[in-house]
Amino acid sequence: MKFSHLFRKPTLLIVTFLTATVFAETVPTTSQVKLKSYTYDGSTLSGQIYIQNIAYTKVVTVIYSDASSNWNNNGNTIAASYTNGISGTNYEYWNFTGPVSSINAFYIKYDVSGNTYYDNNNNANYQVTKTSTTTTTSTATATTTTKTSTPTSTGVPSNFPTGNSTISTWLKSQIGISRYAMLRNINPAGSAVGFIAASLSTANPDYYYAWTRDSALTSYVIANDYNSTLAGNSTILQIMKDYVTFSVKSQSVSTACNCLGEPKFNPDGSSYTGAWGRPQNDGPAERATTFILFADSYLKQTGDASYVTGTLKPAIFKDLDYVVNTWTNGCFDLWEEVNGVHFYTLMVMRKGLIRGANFATRNGDSTRASTYTNTAASIKTKMDSFWSSGNNYIAVSQSVTGGVSKAGYDVANIIAANVGSLQDGVYTPGSDRILATAVAVEAKFASLYGVNSNLPGYLGNSIGRYPEDTYNGNGNSQGNPWFLATNAYAELYYRAIREWYDNGGVTVNSVNLPFFKKFDSSAASGTTYTVGTTAFNTMVSNVAAAADKFFSTVKFHAYTNGSMSEQFGRNDGLCTGARDLTWSHASLISAALAKAGTPSV
């Protein structure tokens, strides 16, 4: 399969679909459709809408008049697209954006199940001027009368920090390189359809297997592409369908653990039967979350409900039912080395269940929706117990019954915030406890590795998995920094910045104070950074500069051709371990999207 046509314009790979970060809020329970907020900058109209989830298939359209009040027979339209469900409610967020050279007013139309509902601002329509983000509080009127929209992207907040221009330029080319390397590891010659190799390395070390976790996280990056900048791309669509085919088969193949938590599979699709840390119960949750994103994007673009309901839905429910039944059990961790209960695993389980509850509701399965929602709430309670107030960080594991002995500082919790959080403020990248944990974990690595000594001003600390690590990429001696771990810090910082923009700012408290002190020496508990102020702009610019130092570290230690292995030496900084680890490249793409202000959903 040839991928070259996907990389002719690497800049396209930076601009992608964006979910506006939101927190718990009251939904308009008396309205089927209601505008939440909008922005018009003179050329682009963007916004977010509350939509009551009446049925799975629905179309939401923004209709506007130009500056001369010409509605063009209601032909001036912008299609809105599903973003995410709102936890604990029967409502969803839908986003819209489109080029509009001139505008006077707009209203919203919601078509579902043969009915049409409107938000026309109490018959006044929404009157528009060139403006910053406007949040609406009006009550929508709903009237009834009698295709699925393609995905769109929301605009990046004005004044979102651009960071280091050298890194921005580098990423324009590196994203294309990483995307090619990632896709090259999918469907290699002689493998079963949909096989995603962790690496093409077959010896010293042998990573020529499809890990459920790695495959799901990589495919989520690809599904996000299909949901945004590469919507409609037939090659990307086929890759996703191939992944589904391989995964569905793996759900029923005989495994050593006789469970869905089997960690890895051979190139022919059979399960690996050698000694290994099993089960690993994060995999089914991550796979279900990827399937849901793909299902929603596929249905919008093709209208093919039969594939969603006949192939994806049973697989999603199979994985999430397994999560419901096993989440309290011990399993092996993200790094396959510790048997216990893990914060990372609980995070991705909760995300899968909450997304799954919304998916179940839209597919008429209220029983599963309720079960998933209730289980996610129980998981949240358990997650809170990982917080160590005395040490001001989130511990990585509990109830450990075997494996590596750790103090509890682990980059897995940073990755959890990037890939396992939702837009509800629960352990999101910009939340207090995650920020505090980021400081604590980085501090452990700052003095651990030789490559972190006497750093030039443009480089950030190299980040490994956890301080006690002894895996060197092909045996045991001393652990090294990992590319994906260092990328995780860059992504976390930029995701946090985006979160603060969407939340109108951030306030310093005793928990997150160590983080903000790194970027503002005058920060103190009670300090508030409000979007639009000089203090806020200065603070986020400093955070962005720090994020780009992590990117600079990745650039410095990667090969000059953009190749990235699993690790790089703790003292010599040279690439080591599995060559072109698929997850290394996928993590780079995710981090770059966050830098652009458009993190994956």
Side-chain angles (χ1 to χ4, degrees):
M1 184 177 292
K2 295 182 179 180
F3 304 120
S4 58
H5 63 290
L6 298 179
F7 313 106
R8 291 173 183 167
K9 295 183 179 180
T11 53
L12 290 176
L13 306 171
I14 294 181
V15 183
T16 189
F17 179 73
L18 168 69
T19 301
T21 303
V22 295
F23 296 87
E25 48 186 300
T26 302
V27 297
T29 55
T30 61
S31 304
Q32 291 81 9
V33 52
K34 182 180 179 181
L35 180 70
K36 180 194 174 189
S37 62
Y38 74 89
T39 297
Y40 181 61
D41 62 5
S43 61
T44 302
L45 179 67
S46 302
Q48 190 168 63
I49 309 166
Y50 297 106
I51 295 294
Q52 187 180 37
N53 182 26
I54 297 172
Y56 187 63
T57 302
K58 52 180 76 77
V59 177
V60 181
T61 308
V62 175
I63 302 170
Y64 64 92
S65 65
D66 62 24
S68 61
S69 298
N70 180 8
W71 294 88
N72 192 24
N73 292 321
N74 294 325
N76 299 331
T77 63
I78 301 172
S81 66
Y82 169 79
T83 301
N84 60 272
I86 303 175
S87 178
T89 77
N90 192 34
Y91 280 79
E92 303 168 345
Y93 285 122
W94 284 58
N95 288 346
F96 65 91
T97 191
V100 178
S101 59
S102 69
I103 186 171
N104 180 55
F106 70 91
Y107 65 91
I108 303 165
K109 183 174 74 167
Y110 171 28
D111 293 301
V112 60
S113 299
N115 295 322
T116 299
Y117 304 96
Y118 295 96
D119 175 8
N120 56 17
N121 194 21
N122 291 321
N123 297 312
N125 296 320
Y126 289 100
Q127 306 298 312
V128 180
T129 58
K130 184 175 180 181
T131 180
S132 58
T133 300
T134 301
T135 301
T136 64
T137 57
S138 58
T139 301
T141 58
T143 56
T144 303
T145 63
T146 186
K147 165 170 201 165
T148 303
S149 61
T150 57
T152 60
S153 59
T154 60
V156 178
S158 60
N159 297 321
F160 191 86
T162 56
N164 184 325
S165 61
T166 298
I167 290 301
S168 297
T169 300
W170 170 69
L171 283 173
K172 289 180 181 180
S173 62
Q174 181 61 44
I175 290 174
I177 294 168
S178 286
R179 193 173 303 279
Y180 182 83
M182 180 177 70
L183 297 182
R184 183 181 55 201
N185 291 357
I186 300 174
N187 287 327
S191 66
V193 170
F195 174 73
I196 301 178
S199 167
L200 298 182
S201 175
T202 57
N204 301 318
D206 183 3
Y207 275 32
Y208 197 59
Y209 300 95
W211 269 264
T212 302
R213 173 191 310 107
D214 296 39
S215 298
L217 295 177
T218 296
S219 295
Y220 196 87
V221 171
I222 299 170
N224 185 70
D225 285 341
Y226 181 68
N227 192 48
S228 53
T229 55
L230 295 179
N233 185 285
S234 60
T235 300
I236 294 298
L237 173 58
Q238 191 59 55
I239 288 171
M240 285 304 304
K241 282 195 165 185
D242 288 348
Y243 165 66
V244 171
T245 297
F246 186 94
S247 297
V248 170
K249 288 181 179 178
S250 73
Q251 287 182 317
S252 58
V253 73
S254 175
T255 65
C257 72
N258 192 30
C259 69
L260 293 176
E262 184 61 40
K264 65 179 184 177
F265 294 82
N266 298 313
D268 64 359
S270 63
S271 66
Y272 178 79
T273 57
W276 210 255
R278 55 170 67 90
Q280 296 176 25
N281 291 337
D282 59 305
E286 291 152 336
R287 180 167 58 202
T289 299
T290 297
F291 276 13
I292 291 169
L293 175 60
F294 177 50
D296 291 343
S297 301
Y298 179 80
L299 184 63
K300 289 182 183 70
Q301 295 185 54
T302 69
D304 182 8
S306 63
Y307 179 73
V308 173
T309 58
T311 301
L312 291 169
K313 184 175 74 171
I316 291 166
F317 288 163
K318 189 171 187 177
D319 275 340
L320 294 181
D321 289 351
Y322 177 81
V323 170
V324 168
N325 292 325
T326 62
W327 76 268
T328 59
N329 300 345
C331 65
F332 278 82
D333 68 333
L334 173 65
W335 311 125
E336 311 184 293
E337 297 172 344
V338 177
N339 195 356
V341 179
H342 315 289
F343 183 81
Y344 173 90
T345 302
L346 294 176
M347 279 284 285
V348 296
M349 284 179 165
R350 178 178 181 270
K351 179 177 182 177
L353 288 169
I354 291 176
R355 290 272 173 92
N358 181 274
F359 181 82
T361 298
R362 289 182 280 134
N363 280 274
D365 195 332
S366 59
T367 299
R368 275 194 169 90
S370 177
T371 299
Y372 295 167
T373 299
N374 292 337
T375 305
S378 297
I379 289 175
K380 163 61 167 60
T381 299
K382 179 63 175 176
M383 285 161 47
D384 289 340
S385 70
F386 283 73
W387 173 247
S388 174
S389 57
N391 295 307
N392 209 47
Y393 80 108
I394 302 166
V396 68
S397 299
Q398 294 180 357
S399 305
V400 173
T401 60
V404 178
S405 177
K406 303 180 185 179
Y409 299 89
D410 198 308
V411 77
N413 290 351
I414 304 306
I415 299 171
N418 289 334
V419 306
S421 65
L422 294 159
Q423 292 77 28
D424 57 3
V426 176
Y427 298 104
T428 48
S431 62
D432 300 339
R433 292 181 176 183
I434 290 295
L435 295 177
T437 302
V439 173
V441 172
E442 183 186 358
K444 294 297 180 181
F445 291 113
S447 59
L448 185 64
Y449 299 143
V451 292
N452 287 338
S453 299
N454 301 313
L455 285 174
Y458 68 93
L459 292 181
N461 283 315
S462 299
I463 306 296
R465 299 191 299 175
Y466 53 91
E468 302 87 352
D469 194 5
T470 61
Y471 178 57
N472 61 20
N474 189 35
N476 287 290
S477 57
Q478 288 184 310
N480 296 308
W482 285 44
F483 283 104
L484 67 87
T486 309
N487 284 330
Y489 265 79
E491 179 172 359
L492 186 92
Y493 281 20
Y494 272 113
R495 280 184 176 271
I497 292 170
R498 176 72 211 210
E499 185 177 328
W500 300 329
Y501 267 98
D502 292 332
N503 201 35
V506 62
T507 298
V508 180
N509 55 43
S510 60
V511 173
N512 64 29
L513 178 60
F515 180 87
F516 289 104
K517 271 289 190 182
K518 289 163 61 77
F519 306 105
D520 179 3
S521 60
S522 66
S525 292
T527 300
T528 297
Y529 301 99
T530 303
V531 171
T533 64
T534 299
F536 179 86
N537 291 339
T538 300
M539 185 272 291
V540 295
S541 293
N542 290 341
V543 175
D548 284 352
K549 289 183 179 182
F550 291 115
F551 277 125
S552 294
T553 296
V554 169
K555 177 178 181 291
F556 184 81
H557 293 290
Y559 287 110
T560 56
N561 66 356
S563 175
M564 288 185 289
S565 57
E566 178 184 68
Q567 308 175 26
F568 52 98
R570 61 191 287 148
N571 294 315
D572 63 17
L574 300 178
C575 285
T576 189
R579 70 179 188 273
D580 281 316
L581 189 76
T582 309
W583 192 2
S584 291
H585 289 289
S587 70
L588 183 284
I589 295 169
S590 291
L593 296 177
K595 174 175 167 58
T598 59
S600 59
V601 295

